[in-house]
Amino acid sequence: LKNLLPVISTNSVNPNTIFANNEMSLRDIEIYGFDYDYTLAFYSRHLHTLIFDIARDILITNLRYPEGLRNYEYIPDFAVRGLHYDVQKALLMKIDAFHYIQLGTVYRGLHPVPDEEVIAMYEGSHVPLEIMSDFYGKSSHGHTMKQFMDIFSLPEMTLLSCVNDFFMRHNIDYEPVHLYKDVKEAIRDVHVKGIMYRAVEADIEKFICYGEQSHAVLKKLSEHGKKMFLITNSPFDFVDRGMHYIVGKDWMDLFDVVIVQADKPGFFNDRRKPFRRVTDKGALLWDRIHKLEKGKIYKQGNLYEFLRLTGWRGSKVLYFGDHIYSDLADLTLKHGWRTGAIIPELRKEIKIMNTEEYMHMMAWLQALTGLIEQMQVHRDPASQAVVNEWIRERETKDIFNGQFGSLFRTYHNPTYFSRRLSRFADIYMASISCLLNYDFQHTFFPRRTPLQHESPFWPEHSPAGISVSSQLHRTNSD
């Protein structure tokens, strides 16, 4: 273990790094596009508490849910993004890239479900493709799973778990499908009816983390002659108030096109909705749109019309968003745009990965895996008992999130979230401020990690910390 540690310790990661899934050069990018929420504007934890409280009160006041639900408060560290929810069984869980449930991360309400019960319910731990969520993570067309990919969905998962918990504690017979739909509707109302927007606008300093670095990124792009556009589902007044705070009153001077209430992901697929101009007072104009002009605000529209009016297409465009499905998937699969995923959780996870505790744990995990591989051939009860104890010890979720572990890994496999991230994002980073660390000639290269059948070249994969150079030296001297 001591031999492994010096090698692992040199591998601490800078949280401000931009990570590449696909080779991409900024030299080729002429046009930069942005989502607004959690891309240009970052929110404090107060916002999740606000969404949870308002949606909980909607359930009680409008949908006549029990008054006792008011005793539940938002639990900031309960859920992580990318979890799946079985709508019929009322179970929240983490699923890996191969559609296997990570045992130990299945929750009914606020309590874990025993592994044996999960295995009995699913006849194992594999979830067949036909009951997984549709392409956008939604539960529809007979799919019984819903995947929560949005940062705004953290309060929704927590509220779902709290309401399930209340009904079970009080032995109330209920239909899980109704509960799921009611919570979903209540969360939707918080956004659609403008309750959240009004609350944020009224106390912007409480809810928005001051975006000085977002301003610096936009300014740097502008100074280098890059074109910029904004496509957001949020309404103009809300975006305008936030951008005033983050950038200043002349924020629109930086953007060549501003589109609000875009209705993504429909924006990328539905050709029927034309653009409509919005005045800065919020009034809608009826004019047919023949070009998208700087300094003007547009609502709805669709990507096909956007491409026709701007002529911006293909690999000259880099678009940043936080929602892997509704921001990035269609752009990369159908339109050949380059995509950047903003994953705010990265910062926290990388900081944990850089701790000595984590590095010790990973070194031990590697050693343990090797021991299990070698010892599994011994079938006597004593050896098997030791192997089973080691297998239990390989579980590492508690160091990240007590209930669900890391956003990016189950115990050993990448998560379903990780798989989608690597498919739909050319690059990913904790925030767009990471762009400040690179010039506009920079090429991002994905790290060439060996396939399972390829021989490893990195020291961390070499036996007991023998460096590659010393191995090479020995080979040459032999």
Side-chain angles (χ1 to χ4, degrees):
L1 184 62
K2 280 179 181 168
N3 288 338
L4 272 172
L5 265 177
V7 179
I8 291 178
S9 300
T10 58
N11 292 334
S12 67
V13 177
N14 182 343
N16 296 314
T17 303
I18 293 179
F19 304 94
N21 290 319
N22 190 16
E23 188 174 322
M24 189 190 82
S25 178
L26 293 181
R27 193 183 288 115
D28 301 328
I29 307 299
E30 295 170 11
I31 303 127
Y32 287 75
F34 300 92
D35 179 31
Y36 174 68
D37 296 300
Y38 288 104
T39 301
L40 292 173
F42 284 83
Y43 297 99
S44 70
R45 282 196 164 184
H46 296 297
L47 186 63
H48 288 168
T49 304
L50 177 84
I51 294 169
F52 178 94
D53 289 351
I54 298 168
R56 178 200 61 206
D57 294 350
I58 288 171
L59 288 177
I60 297 165
T61 310
N62 300 4
L63 298 171
R64 302 196 176 155
Y65 271 62
E67 189 64 39
L69 281 172
R70 282 198 214 276
N71 296 326
Y72 285 86
E73 293 185 346
Y74 182 58
I75 310 161
D77 295 314
F78 176 68
V80 297
R81 248 197 317 163
L83 299 177
H84 279 78
Y85 183 74
D86 189 319
V87 176
Q88 260 113 9
K89 296 185 174 78
L91 298 174
L92 190 63
M93 68 190 75
K94 190 159 90 171
I95 292 179
D96 75 10
F98 301 97
H99 296 201
Y100 282 90
I101 298 163
Q102 180 182 348
L103 295 173
T105 69
V106 180
Y107 275 70
R108 185 185 284 116
L110 298 172
H111 299 282
V113 178
D115 294 351
E116 314 76 63
E117 202 180 321
V118 175
I119 289 163
M121 278 190 281
Y122 291 95
E123 297 177 350
S125 60
H126 184 262
V127 180
L129 179 64
E130 62 270 17
I131 73 163
M132 295 284 278
S133 55
D134 70 8
F135 184 75
Y136 293 105
K138 292 174 183 164
S139 170
S140 56
H141 311 302
H143 298 287
T144 60
M145 292 277 193
K146 142 91 183 170
Q147 192 184 15
F148 291 102
M149 292 295 268
D150 193 340
I151 300 175
F152 282 134
S153 64
L154 291 169
E156 183 176 353
M157 285 186 265
T158 309
L159 184 58
L160 257 176
S161 300
C162 288
V163 180
N164 274 311
D165 184 73
F166 180 87
F167 282 14
M168 286 187 304
R169 273 176 191 273
H170 293 84
N171 294 316
I172 300 169
D173 186 28
Y174 69 100
E175 171 53 70
V177 176
H178 297 329
L179 192 148
Y180 164 73
K181 287 185 173 167
D182 288 346
V183 169
K184 183 179 165 187
E185 199 65 28
I187 293 279
R188 202 179 74 89
D189 281 357
V190 176
H191 294 274
V192 172
K193 293 186 175 171
I195 309 164
M196 181 192 91
Y197 299 132
R198 286 193 295 276
V200 172
E201 286 174 51
D203 197 352
I204 209 143
E205 291 180 25
K206 179 180 177 181
F207 293 109
I208 293 188
C209 306
Y210 181 49
E212 193 172 344
Q213 291 191 297
S214 290
H215 184 199
V217 171
L218 296 173
K219 205 158 165 261
K220 182 179 174 182
L221 289 167
S222 178
E223 285 165 0
H224 282 78
K226 304 295 182 184
K227 295 203 176 302
M228 285 182 278
F229 64 92
L230 179 69
I231 302 178
T232 174
N233 286 353
S234 292
F236 178 70
D237 287 349
F238 178 69
V239 175
D240 185 47
R241 183 87 176 83
M243 289 298 276
H244 256 76
Y245 179 66
I246 295 165
V247 176
K249 64 180 190 306
D250 55 353
W251 70 270
M252 282 190 61
D253 296 348
L254 293 168
F255 290 92
D256 295 271
V257 180
V258 174
I259 299 161
V260 297
Q261 288 172 283
D263 191 27
K264 294 177 291 181
F267 180 87
F268 299 124
N269 296 301
D270 189 345
R271 295 169 183 259
R272 290 169 299 180
K273 288 182 181 170
F275 283 107
R276 191 163 191 183
R277 227 191 100 204
V278 187
T279 69
D280 52 7
K281 301 281 186 289
L284 293 168
L285 303 178
W286 56 83
D287 321 42
R288 186 190 288 269
I289 305 298
H290 295 286
K291 59 179 177 178
L292 298 172
E293 298 176 63
K294 187 168 183 161
K296 293 183 177 168
I297 309 140
Y298 301 92
K299 177 184 170 178
Q300 288 183 336
N302 64 77
L303 187 71
Y304 300 92
E305 195 67 0
F306 178 84
L307 297 173
R308 187 179 71 79
L309 295 171
T310 59
W312 297 340
R313 46 190 74 245
S315 53
K316 292 178 180 176
V317 185
L318 171 57
Y319 184 77
F320 293 96
D322 69 290
H323 197 303
I324 296 168
Y325 295 153
S326 64
D327 281 325
L328 309 179
D330 289 313
L331 291 176
T332 188
L333 292 177
K334 295 180 183 174
H335 303 285
W337 285 17
R338 309 313 296 264
T339 50
I342 304 299
I343 315 286
E345 298 96 332
L346 257 179
R347 243 188 204 109
K348 187 178 175 187
E349 291 219 4
I350 289 172
K351 280 179 183 165
I352 292 170
M353 286 162 56
N354 286 341
T355 60
E356 202 166 314
E357 181 195 358
Y358 179 82
M359 289 175 186
H360 269 276
M361 193 178 72
M362 290 315 293
W364 175 231
L365 203 66
Q366 284 187 6
L368 206 53
T369 306
L371 287 169
I372 293 167
E373 260 188 324
Q374 289 163 24
M375 280 292 290
Q376 63 185 341
V377 296
H378 300 291
R379 301 291 177 212
D380 60 283
S383 299
Q384 286 297 301
V386 172
V387 168
N388 289 335
E389 186 56 42
W390 285 344
I391 287 168
R392 278 193 291 277
E393 216 173 312
R394 285 177 83 224
E395 301 177 358
T396 59
K397 72 182 167 68
D398 289 357
I399 199 162
F400 291 103
N401 169 288
Q403 293 69 244
F404 300 100
S406 165
L407 179 65
F408 302 97
R409 274 196 180 277
T410 56
Y411 296 136
H412 311 292
N413 286 336
T415 55
Y416 195 81
F417 177 92
S418 275
R419 186 180 197 168
R420 310 310 265 172
L421 174 66
S422 61
R423 180 67 188 89
F424 299 143
D426 290 297
I427 55 175
Y428 65 98
M429 66 215 77
S431 77
I432 61 160
S433 64
C434 299
L435 276 170
L436 296 170
N437 304 318
Y438 301 86
D439 66 31
F440 293 121
Q441 302 299 306
H442 190 88
T443 300
F444 297 101
F445 295 98
R447 194 178 303 160
R448 188 187 168 100
T449 49
L451 299 172
Q452 294 300 310
H453 65 278
E454 293 177 328
S455 85
F457 292 102
W458 278 274
E460 61 261 39
H461 297 293
S462 304
I466 299 167
S467 72
V468 172
S469 56
S470 64
Q471 285 181 320
L472 287 174
H473 175 76
R474 194 181 310 150
T475 309
N476 291 340
S477 58
D478 290 350

